[in-house]
Amino acid sequence: MGSRFCGSAILRFCGSAILCPLFSVLCSLSCGSLLSVLCSLDRFGTPLHRFPAITVSPCNLRPTSRGTVRITSAAMDAAPQIAPNYLSTDEDRRIAADCIRLTRRLMAQVALSKYTPEEFRPGPAVSDSDAELIHAAGDIGTTIFHPVGTAKMGLASDPFAVVDERLRVHGLEGLRVIDASVMPTITSGNTNTPTIMIAAKGSEMVLQDAK
């Protein structure tokens, strides 16, 4: 399973020039990440902070860490055991550290100096060393979901492949998987539109094979 991990850095702006700005800026980074600048909150789904601030959220678009989804019981209603294993590879940890460094450089630009930004998280006490930034990323980072790949498409000779090129489950008749789980690797962007495409093509395949 592949899923996205977002390491946020929260910058508090002093003074009254900015009051909880609600805006978003997206730009592609050379490290294969996306940088979002949004209103200030600890993680998605939590309340906004009560002080003027923005949360800069760099996201690794092509993570190499892989998690697992395991069956815990033969009971149909039993919850699975999900372990995303974020930051479990050296590459992902390096990118997480670099993203926080980039965020700090961005917010230190002259164009923002009039707002006198102060780093709230991970905080100025955290140095720019790899070890401290990786630890901070693990503390403040959060999922932005987009889990894929638990039933990847691939050749029958691939021990990790679940479905073939027509989304039919290997070794079983009359069973298909038509959702984001068939992606062999996560897309370099939001998974919504690719999942809609998979659903459209998968439904066409079902109708074609039923003729």
Side-chain angles (χ1 to χ4, degrees), residues 1-5 60-70 81-93 145-152 160 181 183-188:
M1 178 187 74
S3 182
R4 292 209 173 93
F5 179 84
N60 184 355
L61 293 181
R62 294 185 287 277
T64 55
S65 297
R66 292 293 179 266
T68 59
V69 178
R70 301 187 188 280
Q81 182 183 66
I82 302 174
N85 292 333
Y86 294 125
L87 300 179
S88 58
T89 66
D90 290 339
E91 181 178 346
D92 285 357
R93 290 190 290 270
F145 307 103
H146 299 176
V148 304
T150 53
K152 67 171 284 191
F160 295 104
S181 64
M183 295 181 188
T185 58
I186 196 166
T187 55
S188 297

Side-chain angles (χ1 to χ4, degrees), residues 7-26:
S8 300
I10 299 169
L11 279 294
R12 183 199 301 262
F13 284 86
C14 297
S16 58
I18 296 182
L19 295 176
C20 288
L22 294 173
F23 64 92
S24 179
V25 177
L26 300 178

Side-chain angles (χ1 to χ4, degrees), residues 144-201:
I144 57 168
F145 307 103
H146 299 176
V148 304
T150 53
K152 67 171 284 191
M153 182 195 309
L155 299 174
S157 57
D158 182 348
F160 295 104
V162 175
V163 300
D164 65 13
E165 76 282 358
R166 295 188 66 79
L167 308 182
R168 298 169 297 199
V169 175
H170 290 300
L172 293 175
E173 296 290 334
L175 181 61
R176 278 183 165 94
V177 178
I178 307 176
D179 59 27
S181 64
V182 304
M183 295 181 188
T185 58
I186 196 166
T187 55
S188 297
N190 196 292
T191 54
N192 180 57
T193 301
T195 303
I196 294 172
M197 179 276 296
I198 290 170
K201 292 188 71 67

Side-chain angles (χ1 to χ4, degrees), residues 28-187:
S28 295
L29 311 179
S30 60
C31 58
S33 298
L34 191 72
L35 190 68
S36 300
V37 182
L38 62 159
C39 50
S40 181
L41 68 171
D42 283 339
R43 55 180 51 86
F44 299 112
T46 62
L48 296 178
H49 291 130
R50 304 293 293 177
F51 51 82
I54 60 172
T55 300
V56 185
S57 301
C59 170
N60 184 355
L61 293 181
R62 294 185 287 277
T64 55
S65 297
R66 292 293 179 266
T68 59
V69 178
R70 301 187 188 280
I71 296 172
T72 58
S73 168
M76 292 286 289
D77 58 351
Q81 182 183 66
I82 302 174
N85 292 333
Y86 294 125
L87 300 179
S88 58
T89 66
D90 290 339
E91 181 178 346
D92 285 357
R93 290 190 290 270
R94 176 185 58 78
I95 289 175
D98 285 345
C99 283
I100 296 177
R101 289 191 187 100
L102 177 63
T103 299
R104 286 174 165 176
R105 290 200 303 272
L106 174 67
M107 303 313 293
Q109 296 303 303
V110 174
L112 294 174
S113 61
K114 63 182 178 180
Y115 302 118
T116 59
E118 298 174 1
E119 185 176 324
F120 182 65
R121 284 202 180 123
V126 175
S127 76
D128 262 3
S129 72
D130 284 344
E132 289 199 29
L133 291 180
I134 290 168
H135 189 278
D139 286 343
I140 65 175
T142 183
T143 181
I144 57 168
F145 307 103
H146 299 176
V148 304
T150 53
K152 67 171 284 191
M153 182 195 309
L155 299 174
S157 57
D158 182 348
F160 295 104
V162 175
V163 300
D164 65 13
E165 76 282 358
R166 295 188 66 79
L167 308 182
R168 298 169 297 199
V169 175
H170 290 300
L172 293 175
E173 296 290 334
L175 181 61
R176 278 183 165 94
V177 178
I178 307 176
D179 59 27
S181 64
V182 304
M183 295 181 188
T185 58
I186 196 166
T187 55

